[in-house]
Structure formats: structure tokens, C-alpha cells
């Protein structure tokens, strides 16, 4: 589940609100142990996702990068190559 959470800092273009929300959702799913909360827990689950996404946006806005921004496509290609080399995925 946590493999869906990717580094969001120091990319060009910067992380979108959808990417930040997706990371917050994965985090809440992981720590709650639930991908779909019960009706009794839905409000708390949604509030946690919203608050974590909000704080994450503030964190990303405040971080200072000393290295040049990374290119999303290049980093994705490197990750695919590592996954194929490790045998986790096929090259197809």
C-alpha cells in the first residue's frame, strides 16, 4: 500500500493537489488499516485525509531545495528500470 506514496518534493512541475491528496489518502489507509472505512468512521477518515493533505501542502511549500528540481518522467523511467532489474515487474 505505501508504494503508492511517492516523493513529492523538488520536482518540476511541483506536486499537484491531486498527488498530495492521493499520498494523504494512502497514509490514512495504512495507519488505519482500512481502505474503506465503515460509515461510523467515514467522517473521521475523511477529516484526517483532508488535514494531512493540508499540512503536506504547507510542508512542501516551506521546504528549501538546494539541488535542481528533478524531472518526473526521468525519475519514473529510473523507477521502472529498478523494478524490472529487481524482478518485480516484467519489461512488457
Amino acid at each position: 500500500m505505501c508504494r503508492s506514496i511517492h516523493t513529492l518534493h523538488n520536482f518540476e512541475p511541483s506536486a499537484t493537489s491531486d498527488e498530495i491528496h492521493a499520498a494523504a489518502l494512502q497514509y490514512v489507509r495504512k495507519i488505519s488499516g482500512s481502505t474503506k472505512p465503515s460509515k461510523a468512521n467515514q467522517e473521521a477518515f475523511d477529516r484526517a485525509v483532508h488535514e494531512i493533505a493540508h499540512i503536506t501542502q504547507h510542508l512542501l511549500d516551506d521546504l528549501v531545495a538546494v539541488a535542481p528540481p528533478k524531472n518526473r518522467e526521468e525519475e519514473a523511467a529510473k523507477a521502472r528500470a529498478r523494478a524490472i532489474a529487481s524482478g518485480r515487474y516484467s519489461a512488457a
Side-chain angles (χ1 to χ4, degrees), residues 1-2 5 22-32 52:
M1 199 180 304
C2 285
I5 300 176
L25 178 60
Q26 287 300 316
Y27 175 78
V28 172
R29 284 177 172 171
K30 181 67 175 183
I31 63 168
S32 70
I52 291 168

Side-chain angles (χ1 to χ4, degrees), residues 29-46:
R29 284 177 172 171
K30 181 67 175 183
I31 63 168
S32 70
S34 173
T35 57
K36 178 131 176 65
S38 66
K39 288 182 182 178
N41 292 324
Q42 187 69 53
E43 185 179 333
F45 189 92
D46 292 343

Side-chain angles (χ1 to χ4, degrees), residues 39-61:
K39 288 182 182 178
N41 292 324
Q42 187 69 53
E43 185 179 333
F45 189 92
D46 292 343
R47 185 175 54 249
V49 171
H50 174 76
E51 290 176 3
I52 291 168
H54 182 77
I55 294 299
T56 300
Q57 182 65 64
H58 283 291
L59 172 64
L60 292 173
D61 290 345

